[in-house]
Amino acid sequence: VGLTLTTEHAYPADELMPLTCRGRVRGQEPSRGDVDDALGKFSLTLIDTLDTLVVLNKTKEFEEAVKKVIKDVNLDNDIVVSVFETNIRVLGGLLGGHSVAIMLKEKGEHMQWYNGELLHMAKELGYKLLPAFNTTSGLPYPRVNLKFGVRHPEARTGTETDTCTACAGTLILEFAALSRFTGTSIFEEYARKALDFIWEKRQRSSNLVGVTINIHTGDWVRKDSGVGAGIDSYYEYLLKAYVLLGDDSFLERFNTHYDAIMRYISQPPLLLDVHIHKPMLNARTWMDSLLAFFPGLQVLKGDIRPAIETHEMLYQVIKKHNFLPEAFTTDFRVHWAQHPLRPEFAESTYFLYKATGDPYYLEVGKTLIENLNKYARVPCGFAAMKDVRTGSHEDRMDSFFLAEMFKYLYLLFADKEDMIFDIEDYIFTTEAHLLPLWLSTTNQTISKKNTTTEYTELDDSNFDWTCPNTQILFPNDPMFAQSIREPLKNVVDKSCPRGISRAEESLGSGPKPPLRARDFMASNPEHLEILKKMGVSLIHLKDGRVQLVQHAVQAASSLDAEDGLRFMQEMIELSSQQQKEQQLPPRAVQIVSHPFFGRVVLTAGPAQFGMDLSKHKSGTRGFVVTIKPYNGCSEITNPEAVKEKIALMQRGQCMFAEKARNIQKAGAIGGIVIDDNEGSSSDTAPLFQMAGDGKNTDDITIPMLFLFNKEGNIILDAIREYEAVEVLLSDKAKDRGKLKDLEMENMDQKLSENDSHKQNFEEASSASQDVVAVSEEPEGESSDVTDPDSLSPAHADSDSVSISDQDSYTPGTDEASTPEPASMQGDSQPQEQKTETESNSKVNWDNKVQPMESILADWNEDIEAFEMMEKDEL
C-alpha cells in the first residue's frame, strides 16, 4: 500500500509527502537542512524499497519497479548528497535489488530478462562516491556531488573537515558486496581503509570512539561516545562485516568495543553516552531513539539478557507515548518530541523474537502496527509525528519507512511458508537491504586481511561465542525472557506515571480537546474562559500582541492542565510552522505623489497570501482610499471609491484574509492594514507577517501589506492634507535616482499649485523622515515565542507564548529584520535627536510659503544629491 501510494502520488520524486499527497523534489520545497542530503533526484524511495517487495512476495510489482529504475533513474545529477545516506539507501538498495533479482531468475519463474542492470547502476554509483575518499586519512568527505565529485570548481562541496563515525564506518558491507559482485576490488579497499583509520584512532584507554572526527587529522571533534546517533552503525558493521566477509579481525575489533560499551555505556536498562577520555562520567542525561537498534545487534552477538532488558525499557516508553520520541530523558520524559517513523525498535523486536520464540514479541509487533494505523496513517500514506505528545503530523515519509519498517514487521509475523526464499541466506544491512552470505567465498579480492593491532584477549566468556551463535541459550523456554522482563515491567511508570492523554481520548469516544490553537481568537470570551480553566492567562503587551502564560497549578484539574500544556505546544508549533513555511522579508510602502516623490518610505509587514511582490519587481502603484466599513470585515459600502485604488483599513475584528477578499471583491488593486493599537511602531515592535485563515487563499491575488499605527498615520495625515496620495507597494524601496524622472515630470505641477499648498519642502520632509525612521531590532531581543524545549513539564513550571490580539499572524524573524532607516538625503542627525513630532502619531505639515527661487534652489540641491546616491537603496 505504501509503495503504491508513493508511486501514485510522488513518482519519480525521491519521497512522498503524505499530507499534501505529492512528491518531495529537492529544491522545490523549503530546505530542511542536512535531512535533504539524502535526496538526489534518483527516485530514492523506489530504489530503497526494491527488495522489500520480494520479501512481501510482490514479485510482479518488483519486476515492474526494477524496469522503472532501469528506464528512468539518472545517477549523473548535479546535486550534492550525503555519502552515508546514498551508500546505505541507494547503493544498498540497488545491491539488495540485484541480490533478490538473481535469486528469482535462478528459480526460473520471474526476472528471466534480467541481465545485471541494477548491478551496473550500483557500480556507476560506486565510482561517483569514490572521489569523497580523496583524503590523507582515507575517511570520506561527508558529501559529494554526483556529477562533479568533491574538489571540482562546480562541486559546491569539499570544504568540510568533520564527519561522524557512523558516516565513515558504515560502508564496508555495501562496498565489499559491490567488489565481490563485480570483481572490482577498489570499493572494498577504500571501505576497509576508512575502518582501519577509525580503529587506530580509538581512545586506547577506554577503547571507545567519539561521535565526530576530523577527516584530515583524525582528531576527535566530539568526544562523547554512545551507541546512538553518530556512532550506531559503525559497531553494527564491524560485527556484520565479520559475518559477511569472514574476516576475524572485524570480530576482534567488535568484541573490544563491545567490552567497553558494556563496561561504561550500558547501565541496565539504560544506554548512556560517556566521555571517551573519562568513561565513568556521563556525557548527557538523555538517550536518542537510534539506540533502539542495539538490542538487535546484541542478539546477533549472542548476548541476550541485556538485549531483553533494554528492549523492554524502550517498549515501556512506547506504551507511554505511542511512539519512541527522538530523544527521552533518563526518567523517561520527552526530550525531543518528533518521531519520523524510525524502524530500529521493530528491527530489535524481530531479532528478539527469532532468538527467543517468545510470543510476547508478537504482541509488541501488534502494538506497533496498531499505533501506526491509529496515529500515523493518513489518506496518502503514513505521516511522521511532529510531536508524540500532541499527535501532530509532519508532511514527511522517509524512504526507510518502507525499506525497513514494513520489512521487519512482515518478517516478524511471516511463517516460513509465507516466504518465497530462505531469509537466513542473507544478512541485513543497516537499511535492511539483503546481501547473500555466499559473497564471503566469492571474488575475495583482498589478499591480505586486516590486522587488528594491539588486540588483547579480554576476560569475557561472551567472546568465545561466534556469530551465528552455536550455543543453545534457552531451548524452547520463553519463560527465560519473561523472567528478565518482569522486573522492568513498571520501570517507566515508576519514574513518570502515565494518565489517559487527550490525544487518545480524542481518537475514542471520550471528550474532545476543548480548544485547539488553530481555532483560538483572543477576542472570543468563550475561548478566554476555556483558557482560564486550563490555567492559561493572557498578558496584553504594548505593541498589540497578547502573551499566553500557563501555570499548571492554576488549572481546574490535572486533565485541564494537560489540555493547557497541549494548547501551548500547539500554539508554538503553529507559530513556528508559519515562520518556517514562509519567512518573508519586510516590504515597503513608498509615497510617490507630490510633495513626497518617493522620499518617504514606510516599512511594512508582508502577507503569506496574495500577490508576491518579490516576483513583481515593478510593484503595485495606485492612489489610496479609506474603505467603509473601516475594519473591512464585511461587504465594502463605497466600492466606487475603492475600485482601482489601494484600500486602507484597520486591523481587528476578523482575519486578514477576510479583509483581503472583501476589498478585492470591491475592485481594489491592493490593501494596507493599519494597526489599531495606538502608538505602535516598527521602531519598538518586531514586524510580523500576516498569515492566512487556515483555508486555501489562492483566490486572493492582490498584494496586502501591514503598517504599524505610527507609520499608518503618516499616510492618513497625508490624505487629510493633500487628498490625492499615491503610493507604491513593493518588495523594497525604489532607488532615489530611479525616481528622479518622476520628480521632474511633476515639477510643473508643483510650480502651478495654489500658494496655500506650498510649504517648506525641506522642513516637511525632514519632519516626515523623523517620524518614519526605523531602527534595527536590538540584538538579544527576546523572541515572541518561547523555546519549545522549555515547555516540557520536566523542565519548566510555566509556559508562555505571544500571539496576535485579533488577526492571525506570523512573528518576523531576525533574518527578516527591518530595512535601513528611511531618511532624507543629507540628514546626519543621530537617531536620538528626534523632534517632538515623533512622539505624536499625527504629522503637522509646515504650510509657510517660500519664495520660488528658494524652492528651486532646494530642488536642485536634492537632484544633485540623488545623482550621488544613485546606487544606494533607501
Side-chain angles (χ1 to χ4, degrees), residues 368-597:
L368 297 181
I369 293 172
E370 289 175 347
N371 287 350
L372 284 171
N373 283 321
K374 190 174 184 180
Y375 301 110
R377 190 159 192 165
V378 293
C380 287
F382 292 83
M385 308 304 296
K386 180 181 285 187
D387 192 319
V388 297
R389 298 165 297 193
T390 64
S392 57
H393 289 124
E394 189 175 355
D395 199 3
R396 169 183 180 182
M397 191 178 86
D398 291 84
S399 66
F400 54 66
F401 179 69
L402 297 178
E404 298 183 71
M405 182 74 85
F406 271 30
K407 192 175 294 173
Y408 285 125
L409 289 177
Y410 180 85
L411 289 172
L412 175 63
F413 292 98
D415 294 325
K416 197 164 186 178
E417 53 269 22
D418 296 325
M419 302 293 297
I420 60 174
F421 65 99
D422 189 352
I423 198 73
E424 304 297 338
D425 292 337
Y426 297 82
I427 191 168
F428 292 100
T429 69
T430 194
E431 191 77 3
H433 292 307
L434 302 175
L435 298 178
L437 292 175
W438 52 257
L439 286 175
S440 61
T441 58
T442 302
N443 286 330
Q444 297 188 29
T445 56
I446 306 299
S447 57
K448 181 182 177 182
K449 293 185 178 182
N450 296 344
T451 58
T452 299
T453 59
E454 298 183 25
Y455 171 70
T456 304
E457 193 68 34
L458 298 164
D459 183 19
D460 188 336
S461 58
N462 275 349
F463 296 163
D464 295 334
W465 304 351
T466 58
C467 182
N469 182 13
T470 56
Q471 294 193 14
I472 298 176
L473 299 177
F474 30 86
N476 302 317
D477 184 14
M479 294 303 294
F480 178 89
Q482 183 178 338
S483 66
I484 299 174
R485 289 193 305 267
E486 192 64 30
L488 301 170
K489 189 167 61 174
N490 299 315
V491 65
V492 171
D493 283 338
K494 285 179 181 178
S495 300
C496 185
R498 170 190 171 90
I500 300 175
S501 69
R502 279 287 189 190
E504 292 174 319
E505 287 189 352
S506 65
L507 289 167
S509 57
K512 302 291 183 183
L515 180 63
R516 306 305 298 263
R518 63 174 179 266
D519 302 324
F520 173 67
M521 291 287 287
S523 59
N524 188 322
E526 293 183 5
H527 290 182
L528 299 181
E529 190 62 32
I530 294 172
L531 291 191
K532 183 178 179 181
K533 187 179 179 183
M534 295 189 299
V536 179
S537 56
L538 279 76
I539 301 173
H540 291 269
L541 304 177
K542 291 182 179 180
D543 60 7
R545 292 175 295 128
V546 173
Q547 186 178 44
L548 297 177
V549 181
Q550 189 205 21
H551 297 278
V553 294
Q554 297 178 4
S557 67
S558 59
L559 192 58
D560 290 314
E562 183 183 341
D563 287 333
L565 176 62
R566 175 196 49 75
F567 175 83
M568 297 294 287
Q569 292 165 349
E570 284 186 358
M571 185 62 73
I572 288 174
E573 289 170 7
L574 184 63
S575 177
S576 176
Q577 181 180 8
Q578 289 170 342
Q579 289 185 54
K580 290 177 181 178
E581 285 176 352
Q582 298 189 49
Q583 293 185 344
L584 303 175
R587 305 304 190 203
V589 176
Q590 195 166 6
I591 306 179
V592 297
S593 57
H594 166 75
F596 308 96
F597 302 113

Side-chain angles (χ1 to χ4, degrees), residues 530-709:
I530 294 172
L531 291 191
K532 183 178 179 181
K533 187 179 179 183
M534 295 189 299
V536 179
S537 56
L538 279 76
I539 301 173
H540 291 269
L541 304 177
K542 291 182 179 180
D543 60 7
R545 292 175 295 128
V546 173
Q547 186 178 44
L548 297 177
V549 181
Q550 189 205 21
H551 297 278
V553 294
Q554 297 178 4
S557 67
S558 59
L559 192 58
D560 290 314
E562 183 183 341
D563 287 333
L565 176 62
R566 175 196 49 75
F567 175 83
M568 297 294 287
Q569 292 165 349
E570 284 186 358
M571 185 62 73
I572 288 174
E573 289 170 7
L574 184 63
S575 177
S576 176
Q577 181 180 8
Q578 289 170 342
Q579 289 185 54
K580 290 177 181 178
E581 285 176 352
Q582 298 189 49
Q583 293 185 344
L584 303 175
R587 305 304 190 203
V589 176
Q590 195 166 6
I591 306 179
V592 297
S593 57
H594 166 75
F596 308 96
F597 302 113
R599 298 187 181 196
V600 176
V601 181
L602 309 175
T603 302
Q608 293 182 354
F609 52 85
M611 179 190 293
D612 184 354
L613 290 170
S614 66
K615 298 179 181 178
H616 295 77
K617 296 303 180 182
S618 59
T620 296
R621 181 169 175 168
F623 289 92
V624 292
V625 61
T626 303
I627 63 172
K628 299 178 182 178
Y630 190 30
N631 60 28
C633 293
S634 57
E635 185 175 351
I636 307 304
T637 58
N638 60 335
E640 301 83 4
V642 174
K643 189 173 183 180
E644 299 301 322
K645 302 288 197 312
I646 295 175
L648 296 176
M649 69 212 78
Q650 189 178 48
R651 175 186 179 185
Q653 306 303 316
C654 64
M655 306 296 279
F656 290 123
E658 184 177 348
K659 298 175 189 288
R661 290 189 178 97
N662 287 332
I663 64 170
Q664 180 174 280
K665 184 179 179 181
I669 60 173
I672 299 174
V673 179
I674 298 175
D675 192 12
D676 60 342
N677 185 46
E678 189 69 28
S680 66
S681 169
S682 59
D683 286 346
T684 57
L687 290 179
F688 61 80
Q689 305 175 34
M690 294 186 289
D693 53 4
K695 304 173 185 176
N696 191 317
T697 54
D698 291 344
D699 58 312
I700 302 174
T701 58
I702 61 174
M704 293 288 293
L705 295 180
F706 177 90
L707 291 178
F708 281 108
N709 184 266

Side-chain angles (χ1 to χ4, degrees), residues 88-373:
I88 65 172
R89 299 201 207 188
V90 186
L91 183 59
L94 292 171
L95 292 172
H98 173 70
S99 298
V100 293
I102 58 178
M103 176 270 296
L104 291 173
K105 184 175 181 179
E106 287 176 0
K107 288 181 177 291
E109 187 175 348
H110 300 281
M111 302 297 293
Q112 296 305 300
W113 55 270
Y114 182 71
N115 194 30
E117 289 86 352
L118 294 179
L119 181 60
H120 298 319
M121 294 180 69
K123 189 174 182 180
E124 177 189 354
L125 181 59
Y127 278 121
K128 288 184 175 296
L129 295 179
L130 286 185
F133 293 82
N134 189 17
T135 62
T136 55
S137 66
L139 299 178
Y141 282 95
R143 298 174 186 85
V144 67
N145 187 301
L146 290 177
K147 190 176 186 70
F148 297 108
V150 172
R151 295 184 177 178
H152 190 280
E154 298 181 60
R156 304 187 305 282
T157 189
T159 59
E160 303 94 339
T161 58
D162 307 334
T163 193
C164 71
T165 300
C167 299
T170 311
L171 299 160
I172 186 64
L173 292 190
E174 292 83 1
F175 273 48
L178 182 57
S179 288
R180 302 293 175 99
F181 272 130
T182 63
T184 306
S185 64
I186 188 172
F187 305 109
E188 185 172 343
E189 290 171 358
Y190 273 55
R192 282 179 178 263
K193 183 179 179 182
L195 275 180
D196 290 347
F197 190 83
I198 295 174
W199 170 252
E200 290 299 326
K201 291 298 179 179
R202 74 192 185 284
Q203 213 292 320
R204 297 304 176 98
S205 61
S206 66
N207 280 321
L208 295 173
V209 292
V211 175
T212 55
I213 188 171
N214 186 296
I215 59 177
H216 304 296
T217 66
D219 295 332
W220 292 109
V221 180
R222 274 188 55 188
K223 300 177 182 179
D224 46 321
S225 183
V227 296
I231 303 180
D232 49 1
S233 49
Y234 163 68
Y235 294 135
E236 176 186 1
Y237 269 36
L238 283 178
L239 182 56
K240 290 184 176 180
Y242 163 70
V243 177
L244 182 65
L245 306 178
D247 190 331
D248 290 341
S249 67
F250 289 128
L251 179 62
E252 293 169 356
R253 295 181 189 185
F254 174 80
N255 283 341
T256 303
H257 285 313
Y258 188 77
D259 174 73
I261 291 168
M262 300 308 292
R263 188 185 304 271
Y264 304 119
I265 295 171
S266 178
Q267 302 174 35
L270 310 180
L271 292 164
L272 292 177
D273 286 15
V274 299
H275 295 278
I276 59 175
H277 294 95
K278 298 180 180 178
M280 302 305 293
L281 182 64
N282 288 340
R284 59 172 62 108
T285 58
W286 49 269
M287 296 164 279
D288 67 73
S289 62
L290 287 172
L291 62 76
F293 91 100
F294 198 66
L297 188 62
Q298 289 178 308
V299 170
L300 195 61
K301 159 69 181 170
D303 199 2
I304 300 294
R305 177 180 290 274
I308 293 172
E309 291 173 339
T310 299
H311 180 274
E312 182 62 21
M313 176 272 292
L314 295 171
Y315 184 45
Q316 297 299 327
V317 174
I318 289 174
K319 288 201 291 186
K320 177 176 175 56
H321 299 294
N322 300 319
F323 296 98
L324 196 61
E326 276 290 77
F328 53 94
T329 62
T330 52
D331 60 352
F332 309 110
R333 296 181 185 272
V334 173
H335 185 69
W336 295 335
Q338 307 95 321
H339 174 73
L341 307 181
R342 293 200 184 278
E344 284 77 14
F345 181 78
E347 174 186 356
S348 289
T349 303
Y350 165 69
F351 284 116
L352 273 169
Y353 178 66
K354 292 287 288 184
T356 65
D358 189 341
Y360 174 83
Y361 295 108
L362 295 179
E363 291 299 317
V364 173
K366 180 182 177 184
T367 300
L368 297 181
I369 293 172
E370 289 175 347
N371 287 350
L372 284 171
N373 283 321

Side-chain angles (χ1 to χ4, degrees), residues 58-122:
K58 301 290 183 182
T59 50
K60 291 183 179 179
E61 290 84 348
F62 169 74
E63 198 156 353
E64 294 172 4
V66 172
K67 290 178 179 177
K68 278 182 178 290
V69 170
I70 296 170
K71 176 176 175 290
D72 298 338
V73 172
N74 177 26
L75 298 173
D76 194 37
N77 299 315
D78 179 11
I79 193 167
V80 176
V81 296
S82 162
V83 173
F84 169 75
E85 297 290 355
T86 304
N87 172 65
I88 65 172
R89 299 201 207 188
V90 186
L91 183 59
L94 292 171
L95 292 172
H98 173 70
S99 298
V100 293
I102 58 178
M103 176 270 296
L104 291 173
K105 184 175 181 179
E106 287 176 0
K107 288 181 177 291
E109 187 175 348
H110 300 281
M111 302 297 293
Q112 296 305 300
W113 55 270
Y114 182 71
N115 194 30
E117 289 86 352
L118 294 179
L119 181 60
H120 298 319
M121 294 180 69

